[in-house]
Amino acid sequence: MKTYKDLAPSLRTIMTPGPVEVDPRVLRAMSYPILGQFDPEFTALMNETMGMLRELFQTQNQWAFPVDGTSRSGLEAVLVSIIEPGDRVLVPVYGRFGNLFIEIAERCGAEVVMLEQPWGTVFDPEVIVEAIYREKPNVVAMVHGETSTGCLQPFDGIGAACRSVDALLVVDAVATIGGVPVLTDEWLLDAVIGGTQKCLSVPAGMSPITYNERVEAKVLQRKTIERGLREAGSAVSDRRPVASNYFDLGMLQDYWSPKRLNHHTEATSMLYALREGLRLVLEEGLEARFARHRRHEAALVAGLTAMGMALFGDPACKLPVVTCIRIPEGVDGESVRGMLLNHFGIEIASSFGPLKGQIWRIGTMGFSCRESNVLQVLGALEATLLRHGVQVKVGRAVQAALDVYGAEV
Amino acid sequence: MKTYKDLAPSLRTIMTPGPVEVDPRVLRAMSYPILGQFDPEFTALMNETMGMLRELFQTQNQWAFPVDGTSRSGLEAVLVSIIEPGDRVLVPVYGRFGNLFIEIAERCGAEVVMLEQPWGTVFDPEVIVEAIYREKPNVVAMVHGETSTGCLQPFDGIGAACRSVDALLVVDAVATIGGVPVLTDEWLLDAVIGGTQKCLSVPAGMSPITYNERVEAKVLQRKTIERGLREAGSAVSDRRPVASNYFDLGMLQDYWSPKRLNHHTEATSMLYALREGLRLVLEEGLEARFARHRRHEAALVAGLTAMGMALFGDPACKLPVVTCIRIPEGVDGESVRGMLLNHFGIEIASSFGPLKGQIWRIGTMGFSCRESNVLQVLGALEATLLRHGVQVKVGRAVQAALDVYGAEV
């Protein structure tokens, strides 16, 4: 019989755009013995988590809870619950995750209208507003921060345009939630999907979402009670039900409401982790947390620039939590990443599709977003590039970052 | 600002049919710092987990991996990946979770043929075999162990019948995997879905599945590469794609294969937990583990019977890991459960639909399935029933269980 060794993962400095390092308090939370899913102590923790998510999303929405799956499970739960086959869905695409929205919407049977911007740029919001008035879609699905390209999309006027044509505005804030302001109510976002493994620094496996009464109204039109749970005389909707049981928001909200109507078995330890991650966010304070992310980004960018590296993407729309670096001509990007991991224990990321082999991506997210990590990645990258024969400006990167930090001897 | 307290869940004796208590080694595994999803150390852990799952499912299948979601996510991943709209799906129902198969299959657009047995019984396998020859379905979806009723369905001849009409046989082994024999290959099961939070004693949040080359052939017919990941010239299938991106087994198997094609971000800490839970299962040995489950069931049943409680369900098909008790006439079942929880820290379960208020369910699963727990639940139940005015045979239950354990002074 094959034997399997004790778990003993190496300690890494994780500077990718997720998953990032997890705060020890969150790791500890996951090691607590579990409670049953309907234990009043556990449902109280669920309710507290909903309250904290409302603060995180800066919303008064009633509904704010995690979907039990990785980030894209939250995207799919929202889309499959509001899109009926034949609905028109407008998707502005400026990177990989806009494409994911199309991918999911098409599988929901939507007629997708795509807008495209070159990777590394974002849309002038006015262009999207015009498209909304022209196309009159049922749903507009947009990415707030594109981790694939390191760009941040502004929303000026888009929420109001959606209201005026009665479209629902769905926003992927997986990369931005907890690191960059996401003003759900102020921006008139109808549904927002966050991620745990990025700026919240909780392991992957849950996707916190929030949605308002406009989305809920749509959800309730197709609501059913699950077979095997129905009591005699339960109403059955004559609308075509949501194509997924697992992702049916009508059922999920019954489970997260005081009704506690059984659906899945809530992922206990992940809920403990999310709750602790949210406590850390609220203890730090949202504004202080956003400022911290900008500060370490500034240090990283100063260091990379001083080293002589070229950044990828339009600086005017740079996502503060992801910095993309053009891989120098003739350098094997994967060899550099391998050396960083194997010799320094530092992980940075590559990218996808058209950017594969073209850029590296460094995340400054959540618990990984701290001075020691930024200084270490700069020093290690300089040494690794030198080892690969790249003519970097030696000795400057870490000094430039220390300048940003105002480091005194 | 509202403040949220330190996490401090009470210690519970969890004797429900899941989620059950988690072995401290699994809890510890979740507290380890995470690795990146493409870190070679992490992908090695993924591969090891696949190897252990093959042993758990007693299969030579190439594909054995967890879906990142709770148990029903595994059911939905398998069904949505193999059912095309209009396909005929035969579902024998003898409890709540057969109904869940219908629920999911209908949402996949299937034409469902239902067979029904009263809750508390199972099917004579010959009845199902005849239905398979008569209905010639594309898919047969069956529950192995019904936690809602405490019954175990035998499979004699069903796998062979499915092969002869070219139907795929999908089995929900959420409640049985790791506690009761599940012989994937020997029984000719094409896809099997397990659960973590029952006999594996890992927190909810993952669903281990396995499937063979018959299922894979179906999956590959509709396979696509995700938008945003496609390289120039990638083939696009002209078949209607799987209705879900998150649950598309074609994409999941590319992620779990040496290709490591990016899909979701694997849930690191849950994977650590699953791996450790599987190590515990394999260290104990499957046969020894099944025998342990039978032994504690015998002690529990002896105790309940000695106390004078009536069990629910046909004893000939009793599921060893769930014991259902008829709530005595005039007793408020929820009051008994509340007193067990609030005074003894012990959780037992109620049931669903037609059995709501009719039975209690006690699980003997995984780490919760041990002598001290069985003795404690019997003693506490006796005291609680006395407190509710029920005429139990006093002092006998724990003695009867101790007899089964061969306890000597």
Side-chain angles (χ1 to χ4, degrees):
Chain A
M1 196 184 102
K2 188 164 185 251
T3 57
Y4 297 93
K5 288 191 195 151
D6 262 354
L7 182 66
S10 295
L11 285 175
R12 302 294 201 204
T13 301
I14 310 184
M15 296 301 280
T16 65
V20 304
E21 296 172 34
V22 176
D23 189 287
R25 270 179 49 186
V26 173
L27 295 174
R28 187 180 64 188
M30 282 188 290
S31 73
Y32 280 60
I34 75 160
L35 293 164
Q37 66 172 326
F38 294 117
D39 191 315
E41 274 194 31
F42 187 68
T43 54
L45 294 174
M46 291 170 71
N47 288 342
E48 282 187 0
T49 304
M50 291 178 79
M52 289 192 268
L53 285 175
R54 288 184 199 106
E55 294 189 50
L56 175 73
F57 283 115
Q58 305 199 43
T59 183
Q60 303 293 322
N61 288 344
Q62 179 182 4
W63 301 116
F65 54 79
V67 175
D68 283 2
T70 65
S71 303
R72 61 175 61 199
S73 76
L75 303 176
E76 188 160 322
V78 169
L79 290 191
V80 78
S81 293
I82 63 173
I83 296 174
E84 292 190 80
D87 277 359
R88 284 167 72 77
V89 178
L90 178 70
V91 186
V93 176
Y94 61 102
R96 173 181 174 197
F97 292 100
N99 279 304
L100 178 58
F101 263 141
I102 296 184
E103 167 94 20
I104 298 171
E106 285 181 344
R107 289 175 189 233
C108 295
E111 184 196 314
V112 173
V113 179
M114 175 164 92
L115 302 177
E116 263 192 299
Q117 272 289 107
W119 290 31
T121 69
V122 295
F123 290 86
D124 176 349
E126 190 51 42
V127 170
I128 296 174
V129 167
E130 282 167 20
I132 291 168
Y133 283 112
R134 184 176 68 242
E135 304 289 346
K136 298 190 176 47
N138 303 91
V139 173
V140 177
M142 293 179 59
V143 176
H144 185 214
E146 257 292 353
T147 42
S148 64
T149 65
C151 291
L152 183 72
Q153 174 66 52
F155 282 98
D156 316 57
I158 294 174
C162 286
R163 299 271 159 121
S164 69
V165 303
D166 200 24
L168 294 174
L169 177 54
V170 177
V171 172
D172 169 350
V174 169
T176 49
I177 198 74
V180 174
V182 178
L183 306 179
T184 302
D185 291 357
E186 191 176 321
W187 296 345
L188 305 176
L189 312 183
D190 296 304
V192 183
I193 300 96
T196 53
Q197 79 280 14
K198 298 181 187 280
C199 298
L200 295 183
S201 283
V202 167
M206 275 195 163
S207 179
I209 64 171
T210 187
Y211 54 92
N212 62 19
E213 66 289 344
R214 300 181 75 224
V215 167
E216 187 182 8
K218 181 87 183 171
V219 165
L220 292 180
Q221 286 170 359
R222 297 201 283 164
K223 186 159 175 267
T224 60
I225 305 283
E226 188 168 303
R227 285 182 65 90
L229 288 184
R230 284 175 209 150
E231 297 181 48
S234 296
V236 178
S237 167
D238 57 354
R239 298 277 283 249
R240 181 172 166 162
V242 171
S244 170
N245 167 280
Y246 195 72
F247 292 135
D248 185 332
L249 292 183
M251 289 183 168
L252 287 172
Q253 72 181 42
D254 276 351
Y255 180 70
W256 283 88
S257 80
K259 289 185 211 170
R260 298 284 171 212
L261 198 55
N262 194 221
H263 180 253
H264 61 286
T265 300
E266 184 57 16
T268 320
S269 304
M270 284 302 303
L271 197 276
Y272 288 178
L274 177 61
R275 180 180 176 279
E276 193 65 19
L278 292 170
R279 277 182 83 217
L280 283 160
V281 169
L282 299 180
E283 284 172 15
E284 181 174 7
L286 286 175
E287 293 310 320
R289 193 173 178 93
F290 301 149
R292 170 165 65 84
H293 280 85
R294 287 194 303 273
R295 181 159 175 257
H296 294 294
E297 179 209 22
L300 177 67
V301 167
L304 292 169
T305 309
M307 205 191 300
M309 304 306 293
L311 302 190
F312 169 83
D314 179 358
C317 62
K318 184 178 178 305
L319 177 61
V321 297
V322 183
T323 299
C324 299
I325 308 163
R326 290 183 188 276
I327 298 175
E329 196 68 32
V331 172
D332 175 353
E334 289 308 287
S335 170
V336 169
R337 292 207 317 121
M339 193 166 180
L340 282 171
L341 188 70
N342 297 326
H343 291 270
F344 298 87
I346 296 174
E347 192 187 10
I348 68 169
S350 52
S351 192
F352 307 102
L355 292 178
K356 198 173 168 181
Q358 305 297 307
I359 63 172
W360 293 302
R361 297 177 302 144
I362 297 181
T364 40
M365 292 178 159
F367 183 61
S368 282
C369 178
R370 56 188 201 267
E371 182 172 347
S372 56
N373 276 18
V374 168
L375 296 176
Q376 284 170 30
V377 74
L378 286 170
L381 183 62
E382 176 179 314
T384 301
L385 289 173
L386 280 176
R387 205 78 180 178
H388 279 79
V390 181
Q391 301 298 314
V392 296
K393 294 178 189 159
V394 179
R396 296 193 191 172
V398 174
Q399 295 302 320
L402 284 169
D403 287 345
V404 172
Y405 289 126
E408 299 193 6
V409 179
Chain B
M1 196 183 103
K2 187 162 189 258
T3 56
Y4 297 93
K5 287 191 194 151
D6 263 355
L7 182 66
S10 295
L11 284 175
R12 302 295 200 203
T13 301
I14 309 183
M15 295 300 282
T16 65
V20 304
E21 297 171 32
V22 176
D23 189 288
R25 269 178 52 184
V26 173
L27 295 174
R28 187 180 66 189
M30 283 187 290
S31 74
Y32 280 59
I34 74 162
L35 292 163
Q37 65 172 326
F38 295 116
D39 190 314
E41 273 193 33
F42 187 68
T43 54
L45 294 174
M46 291 169 71
N47 288 342
E48 282 187 359
T49 304
M50 292 178 78
M52 288 192 269
L53 285 175
R54 286 183 200 107
E55 293 190 51
L56 176 73
F57 283 115
Q58 305 198 43
T59 183
Q60 303 293 323
N61 288 343
Q62 178 181 5
W63 301 116
F65 54 79
V67 175
D68 284 3
T70 65
S71 302
R72 60 175 63 199
S73 76
L75 302 177
E76 188 160 321
V78 169
L79 290 192
V80 77
S81 294
I82 62 173
I83 295 174
E84 292 191 80
D87 277 0
R88 284 166 73 77
V89 178
L90 177 70
V91 187
V93 176
Y94 60 102
R96 174 182 174 198
F97 292 100
N99 278 304
L100 179 57
F101 264 141
I102 296 185
E103 167 94 19
I104 298 171
E106 285 182 344
R107 290 175 189 234
C108 294
E111 184 195 316
V112 173
V113 180
M114 175 163 94
L115 302 178
E116 262 191 299
Q117 272 289 106
W119 290 31
T121 68
V122 296
F123 291 86
D124 175 349
E126 190 52 41
V127 170
I128 297 174
V129 167
E130 282 167 20
I132 291 167
Y133 284 112
R134 183 177 68 242
E135 303 290 346
K136 297 191 177 45
N138 303 92
V139 173
V140 177
M142 292 179 60
V143 176
H144 185 212
E146 257 292 351
T147 41
S148 64
T149 65
C151 292
L152 184 72
Q153 173 66 52
F155 282 97
D156 315 58
I158 295 174
C162 286
R163 299 271 159 121
S164 69
V165 303
D166 201 24
L168 294 174
L169 177 54
V170 177
V171 172
D172 170 350
V174 168
T176 49
I177 198 76
V180 174
V182 177
L183 305 179
T184 302
D185 291 357
E186 190 175 321
W187 296 347
L188 306 177
L189 313 182
D190 295 304
V192 183
I193 300 97
T196 53
Q197 79 280 12
K198 299 181 188 280
C199 298
L200 295 183
S201 282
V202 167
M206 275 195 162
S207 180
I209 63 171
T210 188
Y211 55 91
N212 62 18
E213 65 290 344
R214 300 180 75 223
V215 168
E216 187 182 7
K218 181 87 183 171
V219 164
L220 292 180
Q221 286 169 359
R222 298 202 281 164
K223 187 159 173 264
T224 61
I225 304 282
E226 189 168 302
R227 286 182 63 89
L229 288 184
R230 283 175 209 150
E231 298 182 47
S234 296
V236 177
S237 167
D238 57 356
R239 299 278 283 248
R240 181 172 165 162
V242 171
S244 169
N245 168 279
Y246 194 72
F247 292 135
D248 185 333
L249 291 183
M251 289 182 167
L252 288 172
Q253 73 180 42
D254 276 352
Y255 179 70
W256 282 89
S257 79
K259 289 185 207 169
R260 297 285 171 213
L261 199 55
N262 195 221
H263 180 253
H264 62 286
T265 300
E266 185 56 17
T268 319
S269 304
M270 284 301 303
L271 196 277
Y272 288 178
L274 176 60
R275 179 180 176 280
E276 193 65 17
L278 293 171
R279 277 182 83 217
L280 283 160
V281 170
L282 299 181
E283 284 172 16
E284 181 174 5
L286 287 175
E287 293 309 321
R289 193 174 178 94
F290 302 149
R292 169 166 65 84
H293 280 85
R294 287 193 303 273
R295 181 157 175 258
H296 295 293
E297 178 209 22
L300 176 67
V301 167
L304 292 169
T305 309
M307 204 190 300
M309 303 305 293
L311 301 190
F312 169 82
D314 179 358
C317 62
K318 185 179 177 305
L319 178 60
V321 297
V322 183
T323 299
C324 299
I325 307 163
R326 289 184 189 277
I327 299 175
E329 196 67 32
V331 172
D332 176 352
E334 289 308 287
S335 170
V336 169
R337 292 208 317 122
M339 191 165 180
L340 282 172
L341 188 69
N342 298 326
H343 291 271
F344 299 86
I346 295 176
E347 193 187 10
I348 67 169
S350 53
S351 192
F352 308 101
L355 292 178
K356 198 173 168 183
Q358 305 299 307
I359 64 171
W360 294 303
R361 297 177 302 143
I362 297 182
T364 39
M365 292 177 159
F367 183 62
S368 282
C369 178
R370 56 188 200 268
E371 182 172 347
S372 56
N373 277 17
V374 169
L375 296 176
Q376 285 170 29
V377 75
L378 286 170
L381 183 62
E382 176 180 313
T384 301
L385 290 172
L386 280 175
R387 205 77 180 180
H388 280 78
V390 181
Q391 300 298 315
V392 296
K393 294 179 188 160
V394 179
R396 296 194 191 171
V398 174
Q399 295 304 319
L402 284 170
D403 288 343
V404 172
Y405 289 125
E408 298 192 6
V409 179

